[in-house]
Amino acid sequence: MSSIDKVAWLHLVDGKLLAARSAGKDTWYLPGGKREAGETDVETLVREIAEELSVQLDPASAQPAGVWEAQAHGKADGVVVRMTCYTADYTGELKPSSEIESFGWLAHADRDQVSATVQLILDDLHAQGKLV
């Protein structure tokens, strides 16, 4: 079994979770991405969010939110995504950038529009009363 290691930002507002969609894709995912050599989780997160959403995360405010694993969307059976998530404050205005076509706010009812890993996250946040 192979694994894809990702770091993602959990940003909730009014009971909805920030998500992004790449150009030409129909699945929403959590903003973030893969580490570059030598990066910490938080360094990866700060870089990826600046690239994808044009805002600056405050590294000092980053807090671990959990780790989820599931079958990778669009990959061969047995390829698993391990998503380590953080919350963090930010400055700036959210704007799609780089490969990101749009961003939106997901509720639990939107779980059919996300990958298996994000479905687990939505389920957990909903069970905790953090997601509508």
Side-chain angles (χ1 to χ4, degrees):
M1 179 168 61
S2 65
S3 178
I4 300 169
D5 186 30
K6 295 182 105 177
V7 180
W9 185 31
L10 289 188
H11 183 60
L12 289 150
V13 174
D14 297 329
K16 293 194 174 180
L17 181 64
L18 177 67
R21 189 168 50 205
S22 296
K25 304 284 183 176
D26 61 358
T27 302
W28 292 94
Y29 70 93
L30 298 184
K34 298 175 189 171
R35 286 177 193 77
E36 290 183 356
E39 280 185 328
T40 66
D41 285 358
V42 173
E43 289 168 342
T44 301
L45 197 62
V46 168
R47 177 183 52 76
E48 287 284 346
I49 300 309
E51 290 173 5
E52 294 180 355
L53 294 171
S54 305
V55 297
Q56 184 64 43
L57 293 186
D58 173 9
S61 72
Q63 295 294 315
V67 179
W68 290 267
E69 290 184 9
Q71 169 66 38
H73 182 76
K75 302 289 184 185
D77 284 348
V79 177
V80 172
V81 170
R82 182 176 197 269
M83 193 173 298
T84 304
C85 298
Y86 290 81
T87 60
D89 298 331
Y90 73 95
T91 55
E93 179 184 342
L94 293 168
K95 292 183 291 197
S97 181
S98 188
E99 78 273 9
I100 303 305
E101 181 175 77
S102 60
F103 69 88
W105 300 95
L106 302 180
H108 189 252
D110 299 312
R111 69 185 306 280
D112 63 332
Q113 300 175 44
V114 301
S115 69
T117 309
V118 178
Q119 286 180 359
L120 294 175
I121 294 167
L122 292 178
D123 290 349
D124 285 353
L125 291 172
H126 184 68
Q128 295 168 22
K130 296 178 181 177
L131 187 71
V132 294

